[in-house]
Amino acid sequence: MISSEKAILQLKKGEVVAIPTETVYGLAGNILMDAAVQKIFTLKSRPTNHPLIIHISNSEQLKLYAQDIPAYVELLTKAFWPGPMTLILKKTDRVSDLVTGGQDSVGIRMPAHPIALEIIEGVGAPLAAPSANLFGHVSPTTAQHVIDEFGNQVPVVDGGACHVGIESTIIDATDPKVCCILREGDINAAAIKKALGSSAQLIEKPIDDKRVSGNLKKHYAPRKKIFLFSTLNDLKKIQAEQGSIFVLHYADDFKTELGFQCAKNPRDYARQFYHQLRLADASACTAIAVQSLPDGLGWVALRDRLAKAST
Ligand code: TXA
Ligand code: MG
């Protein structure tokens, strides 16, 4: 573990450091230093065509790194920044192809974590930061998770447990009239529509699938297999077939020896979810059983994560 001051020095030198954000921990590097950006891809074993998002600490940086910004974007940044919203915008030449995987757009987010903001401000440049996990694995929500993932390869700034617990909502805002949710997070479609008013249309399906945006079928996944269940009968069947299972549920009817009862509301559930998947993975169980999530707008992001983790 290192202090924010030390992290700033390391990042200025081109090192990669794990930092807390309100969503999940990020594996951060100075976007103006190609070697640092390269190192992020190497550490994560991430394909280089899978673009990184950049994290800013003030709104002047938005104009330095994005251009042709649609008018409605101001409504979104006013409503949700600093916070768990990433905007895809047309990039300026200041953003290297390395960061964007050769695309002409860039993902930008102003995180709401005081330590993240302090570090970005101290470095004086945006930080590229994907979630601080190996490619395809569960995102880390504590400093210990990052250490479990990378050992002593990466210094970590400990900012406590992440308040949101799942990755940011990604909105493609490259079109002047229509914006599109590429990945749901804590900020849902209803909140975005409310912020937009009549200034732009919101669609919930990507217009094309050229862009990669957490859109791999399998992602956010523990090493052990996840089985979904809805009824006690389903659960018994999984138990009979798999032997010892770790049961993650929210309803009261599924008390089991090994497992965890998550919160019944999506915000608190999100805060617990990745940590519990990691505990399940580390347990002696052979498989993980997760109760299917409720319908309803508040659960969209979590249903997406669970679907990808259980593919
Ligand atoms: O909450 C978060 O967003 C966290 C914290 C650390 O900020 N970061 C995060 O980064 O989840 P990552 O790399 O794990 O996920 C970002 C997603 C990736 O699926 C990437 O493909 C997509 O954003 N992305 C980045 N730039 C993009 C672009 N120009 N166009 C479309 N998708 C993009
Ligand atoms: Mg990730």
Side-chain angles (χ1 to χ4, degrees), residues 167-196:
E167 306 80 2
S168 63
T169 301
I170 303 180
I171 305 171
D172 181 344
T174 50
D175 187 281
K177 292 209 173 66
V178 181
C179 60
C180 173
I181 301 179
L182 300 183
R183 178 178 76 187
E184 279 255 12
D186 184 62
I187 297 169
N188 64 33
I192 298 167
K193 276 186 186 143
K194 190 167 167 221
L196 286 171

Side-chain angles (χ1 to χ4, degrees), residues 1-64:
M1 308 272 190
I2 58 170
S3 65
S4 312
E5 293 75 25
K6 185 88 194 286
I8 292 168
L9 290 175
Q10 297 280 79
L11 287 160
K12 279 183 167 169
K13 280 199 287 188
E15 291 300 327
V16 170
V17 175
I19 63 166
T21 83
E22 80 280 31
T23 57
V24 299
Y25 275 70
L27 194 60
N30 184 337
I31 69 153
L32 302 179
M33 302 173 89
D34 284 355
V37 177
Q38 211 118 41
K39 194 169 173 192
I40 294 173
F41 283 101
T42 310
L43 280 164
K44 270 189 74 98
S45 301
R46 175 160 166 145
T48 50
N49 66 355
H50 206 85
L52 304 177
I53 66 179
I54 71 171
H55 296 70
I56 59 173
S57 56
N58 59 67
S59 36
E60 280 83 74
Q61 288 172 326
L62 178 62
K63 293 178 199 92
L64 285 177

Side-chain angles (χ1 to χ4, degrees), residues 44 46 130-131 133 137 139 167 183 219-220:
K44 270 189 74 98
R46 175 160 166 145
S131 50
N133 52 272
H137 195 217
S139 295
E167 306 80 2
R183 178 178 76 187
H219 215 112
Y220 317 114

Side-chain angles (χ1 to χ4, degrees), residues 93-105:
D93 289 342
R94 285 188 167 86
V95 185
S96 72
D97 283 344
L98 212 54
V99 170
T100 65
Q103 304 188 72
D104 61 1
S105 62

